Short mmCIF file of all heavy atoms in Angstrom, two decimals:
data_model
loop_
_atom_site.label_atom_id
_atom_site.label_comp_id
_atom_site.label_asym_id
_atom_site.label_seq_id
_atom_site.Cartn_x
_atom_site.Cartn_y
_atom_site.Cartn_z
N GLY A 49 -20.85 3.86 48.89
CA GLY A 49 -19.66 3.19 49.62
C GLY A 49 -19.84 3.70 51.15
O GLY A 49 -19.50 2.81 51.99
N LEU A 50 -20.17 4.83 51.51
CA LEU A 50 -20.23 5.23 52.91
C LEU A 50 -21.34 4.59 53.52
O LEU A 50 -21.28 4.18 54.63
CB LEU A 50 -20.35 6.81 53.00
CG LEU A 50 -19.13 7.62 52.60
CD1 LEU A 50 -19.33 9.01 52.56
CD2 LEU A 50 -18.02 7.26 53.51
N LEU A 51 -22.57 4.46 52.82
CA LEU A 51 -23.76 3.83 53.32
C LEU A 51 -23.45 2.28 53.57
O LEU A 51 -23.71 1.84 54.61
CB LEU A 51 -24.97 3.91 52.36
CG LEU A 51 -26.20 3.34 52.83
CD1 LEU A 51 -26.78 3.97 54.06
CD2 LEU A 51 -27.16 3.33 51.76
N PHE A 52 -22.68 1.66 52.64
CA PHE A 52 -22.39 0.22 52.79
C PHE A 52 -21.52 0.06 53.99
O PHE A 52 -21.52 -0.79 54.87
CB PHE A 52 -21.68 -0.09 51.46
CG PHE A 52 -21.15 -1.71 51.58
CD1 PHE A 52 -22.02 -2.70 51.37
CD2 PHE A 52 -19.81 -1.95 51.87
CE1 PHE A 52 -21.61 -4.01 51.40
CE2 PHE A 52 -19.45 -3.32 51.93
CZ PHE A 52 -20.20 -4.27 51.69
N SER A 53 -20.51 0.97 54.24
CA SER A 53 -19.64 0.93 55.30
C SER A 53 -20.46 1.00 56.66
O SER A 53 -20.15 0.30 57.69
CB SER A 53 -18.52 2.02 55.30
OG SER A 53 -17.65 1.82 54.32
N ALA A 54 -21.41 1.96 56.71
CA ALA A 54 -22.16 2.12 57.88
C ALA A 54 -22.97 0.92 58.13
O ALA A 54 -23.03 0.40 59.33
CB ALA A 54 -23.02 3.48 57.82
N VAL A 55 -23.59 0.30 57.23
CA VAL A 55 -24.46 -0.88 57.37
C VAL A 55 -23.53 -2.03 57.84
O VAL A 55 -23.87 -2.77 58.83
CB VAL A 55 -25.17 -1.17 56.12
CG1 VAL A 55 -25.82 -2.54 56.20
CG2 VAL A 55 -26.27 -0.15 55.79
N MET A 56 -22.43 -2.22 57.18
CA MET A 56 -21.57 -3.41 57.62
C MET A 56 -21.06 -3.16 59.07
O MET A 56 -20.88 -4.11 59.83
CB MET A 56 -20.32 -3.56 56.80
CG MET A 56 -20.78 -3.99 55.28
SD MET A 56 -21.44 -5.73 55.47
CE MET A 56 -22.91 -5.45 54.54
N PHE A 57 -20.71 -1.87 59.40
CA PHE A 57 -20.32 -1.64 60.86
C PHE A 57 -21.42 -1.86 61.84
O PHE A 57 -21.20 -2.48 62.92
CB PHE A 57 -19.81 -0.11 60.96
CG PHE A 57 -19.36 0.10 62.30
CD1 PHE A 57 -18.12 -0.22 62.78
CD2 PHE A 57 -20.09 0.80 63.29
CE1 PHE A 57 -17.63 0.00 63.95
CE2 PHE A 57 -19.58 1.25 64.41
CZ PHE A 57 -18.34 0.74 64.87
N MET A 58 -22.72 -1.58 61.49
CA MET A 58 -23.76 -1.78 62.40
C MET A 58 -24.07 -3.27 62.41
O MET A 58 -24.57 -3.78 63.57
CB MET A 58 -25.04 -1.13 62.03
CG MET A 58 -24.99 0.38 62.21
SD MET A 58 -26.51 1.12 61.86
CE MET A 58 -26.07 2.31 60.66
N MET A 59 -23.82 -4.01 61.41
CA MET A 59 -23.89 -5.52 61.50
C MET A 59 -22.89 -6.26 62.14
O MET A 59 -23.03 -7.43 62.40
CB MET A 59 -24.20 -6.02 60.06
CG MET A 59 -25.49 -5.62 59.29
SD MET A 59 -25.65 -6.11 57.67
CE MET A 59 -25.35 -7.87 57.66
N GLY A 60 -21.81 -5.61 62.45
CA GLY A 60 -20.74 -6.17 63.22
C GLY A 60 -19.74 -6.92 62.23
O GLY A 60 -18.79 -7.55 62.74
N GLN A 61 -19.79 -6.73 61.02
CA GLN A 61 -18.95 -7.20 60.06
C GLN A 61 -17.80 -6.15 59.74
O GLN A 61 -17.75 -5.49 58.64
CB GLN A 61 -19.51 -7.70 58.79
CG GLN A 61 -20.43 -8.84 59.07
CD GLN A 61 -21.10 -9.38 57.77
OE1 GLN A 61 -20.91 -8.84 56.71
NE2 GLN A 61 -21.84 -10.35 57.83
N THR A 62 -17.04 -5.81 60.77
CA THR A 62 -16.00 -4.67 60.54
C THR A 62 -15.02 -5.01 59.54
O THR A 62 -14.36 -3.97 59.07
CB THR A 62 -15.22 -4.43 61.89
OG1 THR A 62 -14.75 -5.59 62.37
CG2 THR A 62 -16.40 -4.00 62.92
N GLU A 63 -14.71 -6.15 59.23
CA GLU A 63 -13.83 -6.39 58.10
C GLU A 63 -14.24 -5.97 56.76
O GLU A 63 -13.39 -5.71 55.85
CB GLU A 63 -13.26 -7.86 57.93
CG GLU A 63 -14.46 -8.84 57.62
CD GLU A 63 -15.36 -9.32 58.76
OE1 GLU A 63 -15.00 -8.84 59.88
OE2 GLU A 63 -16.33 -10.10 58.53
N ARG A 64 -15.61 -5.83 56.52
CA ARG A 64 -16.04 -5.38 55.25
C ARG A 64 -16.26 -3.88 55.19
O ARG A 64 -16.78 -3.36 54.16
CB ARG A 64 -17.42 -6.03 54.93
CG ARG A 64 -17.25 -7.47 54.80
CD ARG A 64 -18.44 -8.14 54.35
NE ARG A 64 -18.31 -9.61 54.35
CZ ARG A 64 -19.15 -10.42 53.85
NH1 ARG A 64 -20.47 -9.91 53.52
NH2 ARG A 64 -18.92 -11.66 53.84
N VAL A 65 -16.02 -3.21 56.27
CA VAL A 65 -16.12 -1.64 56.34
C VAL A 65 -15.04 -1.06 55.30
O VAL A 65 -15.31 -0.08 54.64
CB VAL A 65 -15.81 -1.14 57.70
CG1 VAL A 65 -15.81 0.39 57.82
CG2 VAL A 65 -17.07 -1.68 58.59
N LEU A 66 -13.97 -1.75 55.31
CA LEU A 66 -12.84 -1.23 54.45
C LEU A 66 -13.25 -1.24 52.97
O LEU A 66 -13.00 -0.40 52.25
CB LEU A 66 -11.57 -2.02 54.62
CG LEU A 66 -10.31 -1.60 53.91
CD1 LEU A 66 -9.92 -0.26 54.33
CD2 LEU A 66 -9.26 -2.52 53.99
N TYR A 67 -13.98 -2.23 52.52
CA TYR A 67 -14.43 -2.26 51.17
C TYR A 67 -15.35 -1.03 50.88
O TYR A 67 -15.34 -0.39 49.73
CB TYR A 67 -15.19 -3.57 50.88
CG TYR A 67 -14.34 -4.77 51.07
CD1 TYR A 67 -14.99 -5.93 51.69
CD2 TYR A 67 -13.13 -4.84 50.65
CE1 TYR A 67 -14.30 -7.16 51.85
CE2 TYR A 67 -12.40 -6.03 50.78
CZ TYR A 67 -13.00 -7.12 51.37
OH TYR A 67 -12.18 -8.28 51.54
N GLY A 68 -16.22 -0.74 51.78
CA GLY A 68 -17.12 0.50 51.52
C GLY A 68 -16.28 1.82 51.52
O GLY A 68 -16.62 2.59 50.79
N LEU A 69 -15.28 1.88 52.38
CA LEU A 69 -14.51 3.11 52.45
C LEU A 69 -13.63 3.29 51.20
O LEU A 69 -13.46 4.31 50.53
CB LEU A 69 -13.69 3.12 53.65
CG LEU A 69 -14.48 3.21 54.84
CD1 LEU A 69 -13.42 3.18 56.11
CD2 LEU A 69 -15.28 4.52 54.97
N VAL A 70 -13.04 2.13 50.70
CA VAL A 70 -12.27 2.16 49.32
C VAL A 70 -13.21 2.54 48.29
O VAL A 70 -12.84 3.38 47.49
CB VAL A 70 -11.63 0.71 49.20
CG1 VAL A 70 -11.15 0.70 47.74
CG2 VAL A 70 -10.60 0.63 50.23
N GLY A 71 -14.45 1.95 48.31
CA GLY A 71 -15.46 2.38 47.15
C GLY A 71 -15.80 3.85 47.20
O GLY A 71 -15.98 4.53 46.15
N ALA A 72 -16.10 4.24 48.46
CA ALA A 72 -16.35 5.66 48.62
C ALA A 72 -15.27 6.60 48.14
O ALA A 72 -15.36 7.66 47.44
CB ALA A 72 -16.85 5.99 50.04
N GLY A 73 -13.98 6.17 48.41
CA GLY A 73 -12.86 6.95 48.03
C GLY A 73 -12.73 7.00 46.46
O GLY A 73 -12.42 8.08 45.95
N ILE A 74 -12.89 5.87 45.86
CA ILE A 74 -12.80 5.76 44.39
C ILE A 74 -13.89 6.60 43.68
O ILE A 74 -13.61 7.30 42.82
CB ILE A 74 -12.82 4.32 43.92
CG1 ILE A 74 -11.53 3.57 44.31
CG2 ILE A 74 -13.05 4.21 42.35
CD1 ILE A 74 -11.56 2.08 44.08
N GLY A 75 -15.07 6.47 44.27
CA GLY A 75 -16.11 7.36 43.76
C GLY A 75 -16.04 8.76 43.93
O GLY A 75 -16.21 9.60 42.95
N GLY A 76 -15.48 9.19 45.11
CA GLY A 76 -15.21 10.66 45.39
C GLY A 76 -14.08 11.13 44.36
O GLY A 76 -14.14 12.24 43.94
N LEU A 77 -12.91 10.40 44.12
CA LEU A 77 -11.93 10.72 43.28
C LEU A 77 -12.38 10.81 41.88
O LEU A 77 -11.98 11.62 41.14
CB LEU A 77 -10.75 9.75 43.51
CG LEU A 77 -9.89 9.97 44.77
CD1 LEU A 77 -8.84 8.93 44.89
CD2 LEU A 77 -9.32 11.42 44.84
N SER A 78 -13.28 9.83 41.46
CA SER A 78 -13.70 9.83 40.11
C SER A 78 -14.58 11.08 39.88
O SER A 78 -14.45 11.70 38.75
CB SER A 78 -14.42 8.64 39.76
OG SER A 78 -15.75 8.70 40.43
N PHE A 79 -15.31 11.61 40.86
CA PHE A 79 -16.08 12.83 40.74
C PHE A 79 -15.13 14.04 40.57
O PHE A 79 -15.30 14.87 39.60
CB PHE A 79 -17.02 13.00 41.93
CG PHE A 79 -17.75 14.31 41.87
CD1 PHE A 79 -18.77 14.48 41.12
CD2 PHE A 79 -17.34 15.35 42.79
CE1 PHE A 79 -19.42 15.83 41.08
CE2 PHE A 79 -17.92 16.45 42.76
CZ PHE A 79 -19.04 16.75 42.02
N ILE A 80 -14.21 14.10 41.39
CA ILE A 80 -13.18 15.18 41.31
C ILE A 80 -12.53 15.24 40.00
O ILE A 80 -12.29 16.17 39.37
CB ILE A 80 -12.23 15.23 42.54
CG1 ILE A 80 -13.05 15.55 43.73
CG2 ILE A 80 -11.13 16.21 42.37
CD1 ILE A 80 -12.22 15.32 45.08
N ILE A 81 -11.87 14.02 39.54
CA ILE A 81 -11.18 13.95 38.30
C ILE A 81 -12.03 14.23 37.10
O ILE A 81 -11.56 15.04 36.20
CB ILE A 81 -10.60 12.45 38.25
CG1 ILE A 81 -9.55 12.24 39.26
CG2 ILE A 81 -10.05 12.25 36.82
CD1 ILE A 81 -9.03 10.91 39.35
N THR A 82 -13.28 13.84 37.09
CA THR A 82 -14.07 14.16 35.94
C THR A 82 -14.49 15.63 35.91
O THR A 82 -14.42 16.24 34.94
CB THR A 82 -15.43 13.43 36.11
OG1 THR A 82 -15.20 12.02 36.14
CG2 THR A 82 -16.42 13.69 34.83
N LYS A 83 -14.67 16.21 37.06
CA LYS A 83 -15.02 17.57 37.23
C LYS A 83 -13.78 18.51 36.70
O LYS A 83 -13.96 19.38 35.89
CB LYS A 83 -15.27 17.96 38.63
CG LYS A 83 -15.92 19.40 38.87
CD LYS A 83 -17.38 19.32 38.66
CE LYS A 83 -17.93 20.41 39.37
NZ LYS A 83 -19.32 20.61 38.75
N VAL A 84 -12.62 18.16 37.16
CA VAL A 84 -11.48 18.91 36.83
C VAL A 84 -11.09 18.74 35.37
O VAL A 84 -10.76 19.54 34.56
CB VAL A 84 -10.29 18.56 37.59
CG1 VAL A 84 -8.84 19.18 37.21
CG2 VAL A 84 -10.47 19.05 39.10
N MET A 85 -11.18 17.49 34.84
CA MET A 85 -10.65 17.12 33.51
C MET A 85 -11.55 17.86 32.46
O MET A 85 -11.04 18.25 31.58
CB MET A 85 -10.67 15.59 33.17
CG MET A 85 -10.30 15.11 31.92
SD MET A 85 -10.09 13.34 31.83
CE MET A 85 -11.86 12.82 32.12
N PHE A 86 -12.85 17.77 32.61
CA PHE A 86 -13.74 18.47 31.71
C PHE A 86 -13.89 19.89 31.83
O PHE A 86 -14.33 20.60 30.85
CB PHE A 86 -15.11 17.84 31.67
CG PHE A 86 -15.10 16.32 31.01
CD1 PHE A 86 -15.12 15.21 31.80
CD2 PHE A 86 -15.06 16.27 29.65
CE1 PHE A 86 -14.98 14.04 31.12
CE2 PHE A 86 -15.01 15.06 29.01
CZ PHE A 86 -15.01 13.98 29.70
N SER A 87 -13.68 20.43 33.04
CA SER A 87 -13.75 21.85 33.04
C SER A 87 -12.56 22.62 32.51
O SER A 87 -12.68 23.67 32.08
CB SER A 87 -13.94 22.22 34.52
OG SER A 87 -12.81 21.93 35.34
N THR A 88 -11.35 22.06 32.59
CA THR A 88 -10.13 22.61 32.19
C THR A 88 -10.15 22.61 30.68
O THR A 88 -9.56 23.50 29.96
CB THR A 88 -8.87 21.92 32.70
OG1 THR A 88 -8.79 20.55 32.35
CG2 THR A 88 -8.73 22.14 34.09
N GLY A 89 -10.75 21.67 29.93
CA GLY A 89 -10.85 21.45 28.63
C GLY A 89 -11.82 22.57 28.05
O GLY A 89 -11.61 23.06 26.88
N SER A 90 -12.81 22.94 28.80
CA SER A 90 -13.68 23.98 28.29
C SER A 90 -13.29 25.46 28.68
O SER A 90 -14.17 26.34 28.54
CB SER A 90 -15.06 23.69 28.62
OG SER A 90 -15.29 23.68 29.97
N ALA A 91 -12.16 25.50 29.23
CA ALA A 91 -11.62 26.82 29.82
C ALA A 91 -12.67 27.44 30.81
O ALA A 91 -12.98 28.69 30.77
CB ALA A 91 -11.44 27.91 28.73
N SER A 92 -13.27 26.51 31.68
CA SER A 92 -14.37 26.91 32.68
C SER A 92 -13.53 27.34 33.99
O SER A 92 -12.41 26.90 34.10
CB SER A 92 -15.20 25.91 32.87
OG SER A 92 -16.11 26.18 34.00
N THR A 93 -14.28 28.08 34.91
CA THR A 93 -13.70 28.37 36.12
C THR A 93 -14.12 27.41 37.17
O THR A 93 -14.03 27.64 38.37
CB THR A 93 -13.96 29.78 36.49
OG1 THR A 93 -15.46 29.91 36.58
CG2 THR A 93 -13.42 30.84 35.51
N ALA A 94 -14.76 26.31 36.94
CA ALA A 94 -15.24 25.27 37.84
C ALA A 94 -14.09 24.59 38.68
O ALA A 94 -14.39 24.21 39.69
CB ALA A 94 -16.05 24.21 37.15
N THR A 95 -12.91 24.66 38.07
CA THR A 95 -11.65 24.20 38.89
C THR A 95 -11.44 24.99 40.11
O THR A 95 -10.75 24.55 41.03
CB THR A 95 -10.52 24.00 38.07
OG1 THR A 95 -10.06 25.26 37.50
CG2 THR A 95 -10.81 23.01 37.00
N ASP A 96 -11.73 26.38 40.07
CA ASP A 96 -11.43 27.24 41.14
C ASP A 96 -12.39 26.84 42.32
O ASP A 96 -12.00 27.19 43.49
CB ASP A 96 -11.64 28.68 40.75
CG ASP A 96 -10.64 28.95 39.75
OD1 ASP A 96 -9.57 28.42 39.64
OD2 ASP A 96 -10.96 30.01 38.92
N THR A 97 -13.56 26.23 42.14
CA THR A 97 -14.49 26.04 43.31
C THR A 97 -14.13 24.70 44.03
O THR A 97 -14.57 24.57 45.08
CB THR A 97 -15.86 25.86 42.62
OG1 THR A 97 -15.85 24.87 41.69
CG2 THR A 97 -16.42 27.19 42.05
N ILE A 98 -13.23 23.85 43.43
CA ILE A 98 -12.72 22.68 44.23
C ILE A 98 -11.61 23.09 45.02
O ILE A 98 -10.70 23.50 44.56
CB ILE A 98 -12.40 21.56 43.23
CG1 ILE A 98 -13.65 21.24 42.31
CG2 ILE A 98 -11.88 20.38 43.91
CD1 ILE A 98 -13.35 20.11 41.34
N THR A 99 -11.74 23.06 46.29
CA THR A 99 -10.75 23.32 47.27
C THR A 99 -10.38 22.07 48.12
O THR A 99 -11.07 21.45 48.54
CB THR A 99 -11.18 24.47 48.26
OG1 THR A 99 -12.33 23.94 48.93
CG2 THR A 99 -11.50 25.65 47.51
N MET A 100 -8.99 21.84 48.08
CA MET A 100 -8.49 20.60 48.82
C MET A 100 -7.93 21.17 50.12
O MET A 100 -7.03 21.94 50.15
CB MET A 100 -7.44 20.00 48.03
CG MET A 100 -7.96 19.51 46.81
SD MET A 100 -8.94 17.96 47.14
CE MET A 100 -9.23 17.37 45.50
#
Side-chain angles (χ1 to χ4, degrees):
L50 291 175
L51 181 66
F52 180 80
S53 292
V55 169
M56 288 298 128
F57 182 76
M58 285 190 241
M59 289 175 56
Q61 297 181 356
T62 55
E63 65 273 0
R64 294 187 183 180
V65 171
L66 183 62
Y67 298 139
L69 292 176
V70 168
I74 290 172
L77 285 176
S78 71
F79 173 76
I80 292 172
I81 289 170
T82 305
K83 190 89 162 162
V84 169
M85 183 174 60
F86 284 103
S87 65
T88 56
S90 64
S92 173
T93 58
T95 56
D96 297 336
T97 59
I98 299 176
T99 57
M100 296 292 187

